[in-house]
Amino acid sequence: QLQASGGGLVQAGGSLRLSCAASRRTFGSFVMGWFRQPPGKDLEFVAAIKWIGGMTDHTDSVSGRFSIFRDNAKNTVYLQMDNLKPDDTAVYFCAAKYGELKTRTTDYTSWGQGTLVTVSS
């Protein structure tokens, strides 16, 4: 089970940090990712991280602004979002899978509830 938190209202240029805690101990080839669904649009990939080794991937639109990292002891993955833009407004979801790092929503088998991020201009 995944529990996401940290959303809120922020002005453009501001920062937020989202958290996603896994209720069970992670092991092996565990991958956690963040996706988002802007208003009226489809769910899209934001970033993902492999638990072992820490390899990451992220979509181009957040390059240089968002970073994903994990805390092994807390079984928690974070999405640090800096220099937020109005286009970043969305419901953000964390998700998990085993195996290789992937970016498609259909590759992920476990999903947390969404947390709303609203960026005002």
Side-chain angles (χ1 to χ4, degrees):
Q1 187 174 1
L2 304 175
Q3 184 73 30
S5 61
L9 173 63
V10 64
Q11 287 188 331
S15 298
L16 281 175
R17 178 178 291 184
L18 305 184
S19 302
C20 181
S23 60
R24 293 189 293 178
R25 183 179 177 181
T26 59
F27 62 93
S29 57
F30 193 67
V31 176
M32 290 187 75
W34 286 98
F35 294 79
R36 65 186 181 185
Q37 186 168 26
K41 297 184 179 180
D42 293 333
L43 197 61
E44 62 185 25
F45 172 76
V46 178
I49 185 168
K50 287 201 71 171
W51 212 258
I52 302 300
M55 184 176 70
T56 63
D57 191 10
H58 57 269
T59 190
D60 289 344
S61 64
V62 306
S63 179
R65 302 187 299 119
F66 291 12
S67 60
I68 185 171
F69 59 98
R70 75 217 188 282
D71 184 327
N72 289 351
K74 295 182 179 180
N75 280 356
T76 299
V77 66
Y78 302 92
L79 184 69
Q80 177 66 39
M81 305 185 295
D82 298 319
N83 191 21
L84 282 159
K85 303 176 180 180
D87 285 348
D88 296 318
T89 294
V91 178
Y92 284 72
F93 297 87
C94 62
K97 66 179 299 291
Y98 285 96
E100 295 302 312
L101 198 155
K102 299 288 186 181
T103 63
R104 297 181 306 179
T105 59
T106 53
D107 289 318
Y108 287 76
T109 55
S110 297
W111 290 80
Q113 89 289 358
T115 185
L116 177 63
V117 172
T118 304
V119 184
S120 63
S121 57

